[in-house]
Amino acid sequence: MNKTDNLKFVKNFSEEELIEYFSSINEKPYRAKQLYDWLYVKESLDFDEMLNFSKSLREHLKDNFEITTVKQKEVQHSSSGTKKLLLETYDNKFIESVIIPDGERVTLCLSTQVGCPLDCKFCATGLMGYKRNLTPGEIVDQYIHSKSIGSKITNIVYMGMGEPLLNFKNTLESLRIFTDTRLETLSRNRITVSTSGITPKIIELADSGLRVQLALSLHSTFEDIRSKIMPINVKYDLKSVLIAVEYYLKMTDTKITYEYTMLKDLNDRDEDIKSLTKLCKRMPSKINIIPFNSIKHMSPGGLSAELEPTSRNKLMLFADKLRNNGITVMVRETQGDDIAAACGQLAVKSL
Ligand code: SAH
Ligand code: SF4
């Protein structure tokens, strides 16, 4: 067998698939659980450590499988303490994960796709285009690599490269691993999936029973403006997305976080405050205001080239006005700007 065949990465098998595999080689089904424990509870990187397997089974696994799906190529450190991990996949694609410390909290921002097909006008990943979905193993290994460089991760956000709900099956599989109570990785309250708004998949995620936190990249409450900056809004308009979000909250008993990247004259006007206030009162929610990180280094054309950040003063005033209206507002500090690890700056030039 060719070991570079993607199927031979053991972390790309679900526990059910491992059971099937072990029975195909005349091994007992409980071996699957043992292997799962080695991979995800003990985070073992070496079949030789798995001493509750016979020597011949260890040899068989070594001959047929790889444990690590991605290779660590580089770790960049920002002055703010943020670290960016550059990882290479078996087919020489590069992905990035960002580790953001903030007091006691250390958040890992994970990627789910190489690039992204959705072409949001303010996003470097969008400008890079779409290459492929990441496998469940490639998603989970970003966490395992982050820990291996000494980071104690307390929160995971699916806000790196790609649209998690367009890689639904693999995102779900990775969430199942992270929320598996046997692993004691993180509670579901500390895991957030961010989406640009894929209506049918929000409903499927609600029905999955995983009950993780959901964030919606809102950026405008007006359909026409949202469609201009986020072309996906033409297919799934905000009206339909919000109905799906309402269903999600009902099924999971969670709050929605609206992400709102501030763009000068596009979504920072008084009418935006009025409309956002109305929207936030509709269901339990909070707003995460994000300063727009420049994407000029990508030399974009069209609308992307014209986008400017809202000034800091105006952004703070916008947040205060919302707070005065009774809305919960967080302002995200731009982190890791100096290493292009801030939101929407994840794009690997060498692709
Ligand atoms: N595809 C998903 C998750 C990845 S994007 C989504 O769109 O939600 C993560 C967050 O970064 C989103 O809220 C996105 O809108 C925001 N973002 C993208 N580009 C940005 C930029 N240049 N400056 C600030 N935020 C940006
Ligand atoms: Fe894709 Fe999210 Fe970037 Fe839009 S903001 S292009 S959905 S990664």
Side-chain angles (χ1 to χ4, degrees):
M1 294 266 196
N2 180 2
K3 274 203 173 190
T4 59
D5 177 343
N6 187 29
L7 276 177
K8 303 317 283 177
F9 289 104
V10 71
K11 285 190 187 126
N12 290 338
F13 285 66
S14 65
E15 200 171 351
E16 291 70 38
E17 286 165 344
L18 287 177
I19 293 175
E20 267 171 45
Y21 180 77
F22 279 115
S23 69
S24 78
I25 57 166
N26 295 321
E27 287 284 347
K28 293 275 188 296
Y30 68 81
R31 294 284 181 215
K33 187 185 170 304
Q34 288 178 325
L35 181 54
Y36 191 89
D37 278 358
W38 278 112
L39 295 174
Y40 302 114
V41 182
K42 304 190 181 92
E43 295 173 8
S44 172
L45 297 175
D46 189 350
F47 288 115
D48 280 331
E49 283 178 3
M50 304 182 184
L51 292 175
N52 51 355
F53 294 161
S54 65
K55 186 152 195 306
S56 66
L57 179 56
R58 271 180 272 144
E59 291 303 321
H60 173 89
L61 293 173
K62 254 164 55 183
D63 289 344
N64 287 281
F65 293 103
E66 295 281 354
I67 294 185
T68 301
T69 56
V70 286
K71 273 194 248 141
Q72 193 172 303
K73 296 304 280 184
E74 202 183 326
V75 186
Q76 282 175 279
H77 297 260
S78 142
S79 51
S80 66
T82 293
K83 287 181 233 172
K84 183 165 81 168
L85 258 181
L86 179 65
L87 302 165
E88 186 177 6
T89 63
Y90 74 97
D91 56 349
N92 312 109
K93 303 274 186 283
F94 291 89
I95 53 170
E96 293 174 329
S97 321
V98 184
I99 302 157
I100 310 152
D102 181 13
E104 293 284 287
R105 176 192 284 234
V106 183
T107 304
L108 169 65
C109 179
L110 298 172
S111 297
T112 53
Q113 297 183 312
V114 185
C116 180
L118 292 186
D119 197 25
C120 299
K121 301 302 171 198
F122 47 80
C123 176
T125 308
L127 286 173
M128 173 184 137
Y130 168 73
K131 307 287 173 204
R132 71 166 171 85
N133 282 333
L134 295 180
T135 63
E138 288 165 336
I139 300 173
V140 174
D141 269 344
Q142 295 174 60
Y143 171 75
I144 293 179
H145 274 279
S146 305
K147 284 181 64 177
S148 78
I149 58 164
S151 305
K152 180 170 172 5
I153 307 298
T154 63
N155 294 66
I156 294 179
V157 293
Y158 284 64
M159 290 184 192
M161 296 164 78
E163 168 50 54
L165 299 190
L166 284 185
N167 183 10
F168 191 74
K169 188 169 166 284
N170 297 348
T171 292
L172 214 65
E173 189 54 42
S174 67
L175 287 170
R176 279 206 186 97
I177 292 169
F178 289 137
T179 55
D180 187 330
T181 50
R182 283 174 295 177
L183 273 61
E184 295 175 14
T185 309
L186 296 172
S187 84
R188 63 177 183 88
N189 305 325
R190 290 175 171 271
I191 301 178
T192 304
V193 173
S194 172
T195 180
S196 56
I198 313 294
T199 303
K201 296 296 173 191
I202 294 173
I203 292 180
E204 265 189 68
L205 188 64
D207 291 338
S208 72
L210 285 167
R211 302 174 67 222
V212 292
Q213 307 294 310
L214 187 68
L216 175 70
S217 292
L218 181 64
H219 310 312
S220 176
T221 52
F222 297 102
E223 300 278 6
D224 52 343
I225 295 177
R226 198 165 186 268
S227 293
K228 251 202 243 172
I229 54 178
M230 301 176 70
I232 189 64
N233 194 64
V234 176
K235 186 164 181 193
Y236 301 119
D237 64 10
L238 185 57
K239 190 162 174 252
S240 82
V241 173
L242 291 173
I243 291 169
V245 168
E246 228 155 8
Y247 178 73
Y248 189 87
L249 300 198
K250 194 175 110 211
M251 296 297 285
T252 56
D253 194 21
T254 54
K255 254 190 196 176
I256 183 77
T257 301
Y258 294 119
E259 288 160 274
Y260 201 89
T261 298
M262 298 292 297
L263 300 165
K264 188 176 166 208
D265 300 333
L266 263 174
N267 63 6
D268 60 0
R269 307 155 306 165
D270 282 342
E271 58 200 287
D272 293 302
I273 296 175
K274 207 170 144 206
S275 176
L276 259 173
T277 302
K278 196 167 156 219
L279 173 60
C280 285
K281 298 218 160 146
R282 188 168 146 182
M283 45 190 142
S285 58
K286 63 174 189 222
I287 301 184
N288 209 346
I289 293 205
I290 312 172
F292 172 53
N293 295 309
S294 173
I295 47 169
K296 292 232 155 62
H297 60 288
M298 304 280 294
S299 318
L303 177 60
S304 299
E306 292 164 27
L307 298 176
E308 295 287 342
T310 299
S311 71
R312 186 76 191 169
N313 277 350
K314 188 158 186 191
L315 183 148
M316 294 315 257
L317 203 62
F318 190 91
D320 282 342
K321 285 185 180 168
L322 285 167
R323 286 189 191 111
N324 290 341
N325 290 348
I327 310 302
T328 308
V329 184
M330 321 277 290
V331 175
R332 192 187 294 170
E333 292 309 319
T334 289
Q335 294 231 10
D337 230 358
D338 48 338
I339 55 170
C343 287
Q345 289 188 311
L346 297 184
V348 182
K349 280 270 172 66
S350 54
L351 279 162

